[in-house]
Amino acid sequence: MSDNRSLDELRTFLKPSKGVDSQQMVKFYNTWAETYEQDHNFMKYTAPNQAVNFLFENFSGRPEEVQVLDVACGSGWVAKLMFELGFKHFVGVDGSQGMLDEAAKTGHYEDLKLALLGTEPLPTQPGVFDVVIIVGALRDGFVPVSVTRELCLAAKAGGYVCMSRNGLKTESGNKYKESLESELQLMQDEGLWSHVATKQIDKYMLDVSIDNQDVQLERYVPGTLYLYRKSLL
Ligand SMILES: C[S@@+](CC[C@H](N)C(=O)[O-])C[C@H]1O[C@@H](n2cnc3c(N)ncnc32)[C@H](O)[C@@H]1O
């Protein structure tokens, strides 16, 4: 781990029983931004790679022409991976200015916007994006389930909405899963979008909420990837 962020600090922040307040979350990411990717490599965080590959496997279109909205973009990891696959046009949104400053350094984003989702609306025009992607932020205490409607709204008719969910099996994590999956289904029942694919992943990231010994034993948090396509209205 980097000197700036010890595993203990991280464990305290991510402790399932703790409940994360949004101001604490922003403060945490602001101070973590510079070493976020280095520390996530240590934590074997595979969600960006897995989500981008999942999207790409199910996507039809010419990547270079596509407008991508990267929600909770963090340091810009997702855009870096998508850029390697030929995607060129990115707008990023995040609640942490520190993370947005890191994202700006990638040089991939045409625009970067600060917004604490759930508290503030998604700061984009409706119906503009061919791909809306959110990785690493659909979990309790981060981005609330209600924001999925805003993700759909931001997509063009026929556009893709790709989401990853951290599958930490705690009481609040299980409630979040139930609530998210019933909202996704409800939106489908309302004709807002159609389901394209869902994929379970065993190794979303190392489970750092448990003690050091278990981290050494490489216990992983699972995850789920979801892909929907906005209806042609
Ligand atoms: C685990 S990082 C994921 C970043 C990036 N998508 C990735 O996969 O590397 C979570 C990000 O979500 C952002 N975030 C969490 N809750 C948010 C909210 N309610 N509104 C906006 N950003 C939020 C954090 O600031 C942080 O940058």
Side-chain angles (χ1 to χ4, degrees):
M1 295 294 285
S2 65
D3 294 342
N4 298 15
R5 182 65 56 196
S6 73
L7 187 57
D8 282 345
E9 276 179 281
L10 202 58
R11 188 172 291 130
T12 306
F13 175 68
L14 295 173
K15 205 170 189 168
S17 58
K18 186 168 162 273
V20 185
D21 149 298
S22 53
Q23 293 311 322
Q24 284 174 300
M25 187 274 302
V26 166
K27 204 170 149 202
F28 187 84
Y29 276 104
N30 279 338
T31 58
W32 193 11
E34 279 185 25
T35 56
Y36 167 84
E37 288 191 14
Q38 184 189 328
D39 291 346
H40 270 65
N41 278 324
F42 171 84
M43 292 189 278
K44 305 197 174 162
Y45 175 59
T46 65
N49 276 282
Q50 301 215 48
V52 167
N53 291 339
F54 171 69
L55 168 71
F56 200 60
E57 280 160 21
N58 290 286
F59 167 86
S60 62
R62 294 166 62 89
E64 66 279 11
E65 291 172 0
V66 158
Q67 299 290 332
V68 180
L69 178 64
D70 183 6
V71 180
C73 62
S75 61
W77 198 332
V78 166
K80 280 190 250 180
L81 294 169
M82 291 183 73
F83 188 81
E84 286 169 15
L85 294 173
F87 295 88
K88 298 270 179 286
H89 305 288
F90 301 94
V91 170
V93 177
D94 201 277
S96 155
Q97 186 58 54
M99 294 297 265
L100 289 175
D101 293 344
E102 292 304 308
K105 292 180 192 167
T106 66
H108 292 325
Y109 293 91
E110 290 165 5
D111 200 1
L112 285 164
K113 294 169 188 279
L114 181 67
L116 189 60
L117 303 173
T119 305
E120 296 170 278
L122 188 62
T124 54
Q125 296 289 317
V128 168
F129 295 94
D130 305 275
V131 171
V132 178
I133 185 163
I134 181 166
V135 180
L138 285 176
R139 55 167 294 172
D140 51 311
F142 280 34
V143 171
V145 166
S146 57
V147 172
T148 49
R149 283 184 186 261
E150 297 180 57
L151 305 181
C152 181
L153 197 64
K156 279 181 184 165
Y160 294 87
V161 182
C162 180
M163 298 165 273
S164 82
R165 182 182 58 78
N166 174 316
L168 200 58
K169 295 205 185 315
T170 60
E171 198 182 332
S172 61
N174 293 341
K175 271 193 193 145
Y176 189 95
K177 172 185 188 294
E178 254 176 55
S179 163
L180 177 69
E181 291 185 350
S182 59
E183 182 71 343
L184 302 182
Q185 182 61 48
L186 185 62
M187 290 169 67
Q188 180 163 314
D189 295 345
E190 290 171 10
L192 296 177
W193 61 16
S194 54
H195 178 245
V196 178
T198 298
K199 184 175 180 182
Q200 305 300 331
I201 50 180
D202 297 336
K203 295 182 174 178
Y204 182 95
M205 63 183 283
L206 281 180
D207 188 349
V208 292
S209 69
I210 48 182
D211 64 28
N212 256 322
Q213 205 186 353
D214 282 333
V215 167
Q216 280 156 18
L217 289 173
E218 302 218 331
R219 281 221 341 228
Y220 283 83
V221 176
T224 307
L225 305 173
Y226 308 90
L227 187 66
Y228 284 82
R229 200 154 186 198
K230 186 167 176 175
S231 303
L232 300 166
L233 299 171

